[in-house]
Amino acid sequence: NRYLEINPLSEIFKFKKKFNIIVLASKADLKKKLSPNINFQTFLTKEKIKFFLVRNNNEIYVILKKIFNKNKNSIILSVGSSFIFEKKIISDFKNRLFNYHLGYLPFERGGAASSWALMSARKQTALTIHRISNGIDKGAIIVQNKIALNKNISLKNYYKKVREKEKDFFNTFFK
């Protein structure tokens, strides 16, 4: 499971000198192992990345209001979030909410896009950043990089291809 999909986060965290990065995470996310010896909360603390424990959309809303009031140019990039943003969050912060999705949108929506791409032997998948809108993974696509897949690709080789593409992918988005 790539230990909580840490690779996209590690690529994003490379921008922490350029941008103020703040993580909103559930208790379960903070406890997830990134390696046999470190969990996500320990990693964030070690890397000096500010994080908030959130339990529901109300808490997310309050934190986003504070972030956006403090810095009008802020954006939110959701990565591997288990939260579905409520309509109030989407409407109040529209055009500032983005989602990183490991899947070829609009064809591979939802949380298991990678699994479906592999099980259905698709010829390609994609790394996608889209605006968050009402509906799961239905917002306008901002950046998308396709990844060619062969019919019998292993899970290990699949994630190796993904990791290689992610290195340049986030540079494109954050330009």
Side-chain angles (χ1 to χ4, degrees), residues 45-161:
T45 303
K46 181 181 167 194
E47 292 294 318
K48 296 181 175 134
I49 296 169
K50 187 174 183 176
F51 66 91
F52 292 95
L53 168 65
V54 292
R55 292 174 289 266
N56 56 50
N57 269 287
N58 290 335
E59 290 179 354
I60 292 171
Y61 186 83
V62 169
I63 292 167
L64 292 182
K65 279 263 265 205
K66 287 179 184 176
I67 290 169
F68 289 135
N69 285 339
K70 196 172 190 177
N71 183 346
K72 302 291 184 202
N73 295 321
S74 295
I75 65 164
I76 299 297
L77 177 61
S78 174
V79 179
S81 175
S82 57
F83 290 101
I84 304 295
F85 292 111
E86 291 179 347
K87 289 180 181 181
K88 179 176 176 68
I89 293 173
I90 294 168
S91 65
D92 285 5
F93 306 116
K94 63 182 168 209
N95 298 326
R96 298 168 79 182
L97 299 174
F98 300 89
N99 182 52
Y100 167 66
H101 180 75
L102 177 50
Y104 184 25
L105 294 179
F107 310 106
E108 299 169 352
R109 290 190 171 111
S114 296
S115 298
W116 288 113
L118 292 172
M119 289 188 301
S120 60
R122 294 191 194 273
K123 293 181 181 176
Q124 66 182 4
T125 191
L127 308 176
T128 306
I129 293 179
H130 64 91
R131 290 193 189 280
I132 293 176
S133 65
N134 294 320
I136 296 173
D137 298 328
K138 289 190 174 186
I141 294 170
I142 305 302
V143 177
Q144 187 172 68
N145 285 5
K146 295 177 185 168
I147 301 172
L149 302 175
N150 60 38
K151 187 176 181 181
N152 298 314
I153 190 168
S154 69
L155 186 61
K156 180 180 177 181
N157 287 335
Y158 171 82
Y159 280 121
K160 184 179 178 184
K161 279 186 159 207

